[in-house]
Amino acid sequence: MKTILTGIRVNEEPTIGNFIGAYKTMINLANEHAADAHINMFIPDLHSFTTPIDHSKLYAQVIKGVKYYIAAGLDVNNPNVHIYRQSHVPAHSELAIILNCFTYYGEAKRMTQFKDKSEENPEAITVGLFDYPILMAADILLYDAEIIPLGEDQFQHLELTRDIAIRMNNKFERELFTVPASEKEQVAFMNLEKGLRIRSLTDPSKKMSKSSKDEKSKISLSDDPAAAAKKIMSATTDSLGKINFDMINQPGISNLMTIEAMLSGRDIHDVIQQYAGLERYGDLKQEVARTVSTFLEEFQQRVAQISDEDVERVLEQGEAYANKVANAKLAEVQRAVGLIR
Ligand code: TYM
């Protein structure tokens, strides 16, 4: 059986960008393939403090992260759906240490996320931040996962994961790891034309980022729905005066059309057709603002209905499964590298 796997960090409140790029694509695939694939949706909690955080809030954030997976529509009663915390499956860290020695410094240094995050926080560039994509490779390779729903910004890390898997399979002359599908295959599997990248509402040349200090640039999943609607109404667009779906010349307005399509469940081509050539940006903004606030209201209601006991039960089952699969793979790797017989 194929494994479809993804993780979403909760060191900061996830945004509608995360929701569209990862939650929604993952859950669409989960619902489509729950009978014929393992669906692993985990919380990468060890990845939470690659940049500084308030540690007193982390545990509660992780529990909330699990509630978000369930509220987003993951069917936890399906036995093929597994939710777990990375830190509760120690094989992730152990494999990461081994993979470190099969990853070149030069290739890790090329990761653009490392460069961007180092620039954001020059006083706190840790080895953990540098090593983050290799832990991510361990998260994927331990489960022989083939399909990894991700936003566009994470595809470089997927490519690194593929390179490490291919390198180790060649070195040890066996199929130690399943090589995850390429970016092109992933995007086709998700029924998309390309990877998704929701833009900042104040500077549409950049992605919407949960770590941005500019509150107006992002909509978090816990934002007050009315306040979120206001952020959409004041989103930066352009002065061309005519609506066109054109990510290069009109990224702000095109971003709003993408948000509308993804959160309402409409085909993007319908949204484009509805607004193409029109001059009143305000009409589009109003519709998007309504869609976003309704989405947040309903999502937050679902989150509130999930109890901590529900989360504990789901994690207990998910972590038992994950430890079994991950430990078996770790033992195979330990045997290949000569640590055990
Ligand atoms: P993270 O937590 O930064 O982001 C979670 C997911 O959201 C996507 N995303 C976006 N998609 C569209 N538009 C945006 N503006 C946007 N911003 C973020 C990301 O691409 C990602 O899919 N390293 C990962 C977490 C991780 C992981 C893994 C994922 C750790 N191990 C193994 C998959 C498999 C991360 O930091 O994502």
Side-chain angles (χ1 to χ4, degrees):
M1 236 159 78
K2 231 191 236 322
T3 294
I4 306 178
L5 174 149
T6 205
I8 297 157
R9 285 180 312 145
V10 287
N11 51 323
E12 320 261 1
E13 269 298 302
T15 66
I16 57 168
N18 298 121
F19 189 86
I20 292 169
Y23 287 86
K24 199 168 155 57
T25 41
M26 179 66 176
I27 286 158
N28 287 349
L29 289 182
N31 293 336
E32 207 178 310
H33 294 277
D36 57 28
H38 284 289
I39 309 295
N40 292 21
M41 204 159 173
F42 73 102
I43 305 276
D45 52 353
L46 285 170
H47 274 115
S48 306
F49 38 95
T50 49
T51 49
I53 60 159
D54 177 354
H55 291 266
S56 68
K57 296 197 178 130
L58 181 58
Y59 194 83
Q61 277 292 114
V62 170
I63 300 300
K64 191 155 75 171
V66 175
K67 291 184 182 177
Y68 282 0
Y69 286 169
I70 303 172
L74 201 57
D75 176 10
V76 290
N77 295 317
N78 184 315
N80 291 340
V81 169
H82 315 290
I83 303 184
Y84 50 92
R85 289 163 290 188
Q86 182 187 45
S87 68
H88 283 58
V89 186
H92 288 235
S93 324
E94 295 204 26
L95 182 61
I97 290 287
I98 296 175
L99 299 186
N100 275 343
C101 299
F102 296 90
T103 311
Y104 295 105
Y105 174 72
E107 64 187 341
K109 216 173 78 175
R110 277 199 295 276
M111 297 296 114
T112 53
Q113 285 246 329
F114 174 68
K115 290 188 203 156
D116 295 348
K117 293 230 152 62
S118 310
E119 278 165 23
E120 269 171 35
N121 242 320
E123 73 292 347
I125 308 172
T126 64
V127 176
L129 179 64
F130 186 67
D131 203 28
Y132 146 128
I134 296 129
L135 178 56
M136 179 166 165
D139 299 336
I140 296 171
L141 298 178
L142 274 176
Y143 301 90
D144 286 317
E146 276 175 68
I147 302 295
I148 326 292
L150 292 168
E152 201 187 36
D153 62 314
Q154 291 288 330
F155 279 120
Q156 197 186 22
H157 296 160
L158 180 69
E159 205 46 48
L160 177 68
T161 304
R162 284 167 50 82
D163 290 344
I164 298 171
I166 293 169
R167 181 174 305 143
M168 289 185 73
N169 287 351
N170 287 340
K171 172 146 181 91
F172 297 104
E173 297 177 343
R174 67 192 86 169
E175 215 195 298
L176 202 48
F177 298 120
T178 298
V179 179
S182 65
E183 174 174 348
K184 206 165 152 224
E185 293 163 323
Q186 302 278 353
V187 169
F189 197 83
M190 292 188 266
N191 290 322
L192 294 170
E193 280 152 28
K194 63 194 284 285
L196 288 161
R197 183 185 182 86
I198 297 299
R199 309 300 180 94
S200 152
L201 298 177
T202 47
D203 177 359
S205 68
K206 296 200 184 122
K207 74 163 184 174
M208 183 182 287
S209 165
K210 59 172 152 351
S211 60
S212 170
K213 306 252 177 318
D214 175 7
E215 284 300 324
K216 285 196 172 153
S217 74
K218 59 182 181 182
I219 291 178
S220 300
L221 295 181
S222 59
D223 269 3
D224 169 60
K230 282 206 188 108
K231 291 186 196 177
I232 296 286
M233 293 308 295
S234 62
T236 302
T237 50
D238 55 68
S239 51
L240 293 176
K242 207 172 222 182
I243 300 180
N244 263 311
F245 189 81
D246 176 348
M247 272 298 183
I248 312 244
N249 299 310
Q250 295 189 269
I253 208 84
S254 309
N255 190 41
L256 292 179
M257 287 195 260
T258 309
I259 294 174
E260 170 62 24
M262 296 302 289
L263 292 186
S264 69
R266 287 168 65 197
D267 192 312
I268 181 75
H269 301 288
D270 279 356
V271 179
I272 296 173
Q273 213 174 15
Q274 180 186 345
Y275 286 101
L278 299 185
E279 289 168 6
R280 288 159 55 121
Y281 289 15
D283 292 349
L284 169 64
K285 282 185 166 180
Q286 250 164 21
E287 181 166 15
V288 183
R290 249 193 325 270
T291 298
V292 168
S293 64
T294 307
F295 159 75
L296 287 177
E297 220 165 274
E298 292 174 358
F299 182 75
Q300 290 166 5
Q301 269 168 14
R302 285 197 299 276
V303 173
Q305 281 161 5
I306 303 162
S307 69
D308 288 0
E309 288 72 41
D310 293 336
V311 171
E312 272 162 32
R313 182 179 52 85
V314 162
L315 287 177
E316 198 179 315
Q317 284 172 7
E319 285 162 8
Y321 166 84
N323 273 297
K324 201 166 102 214
V325 175
N327 286 340
K329 177 58 74 179
L330 179 65
E332 258 183 74
V333 178
Q334 287 172 326
R335 207 166 290 120
V337 300
L339 291 170
I340 59 173
R341 268 186 199 277

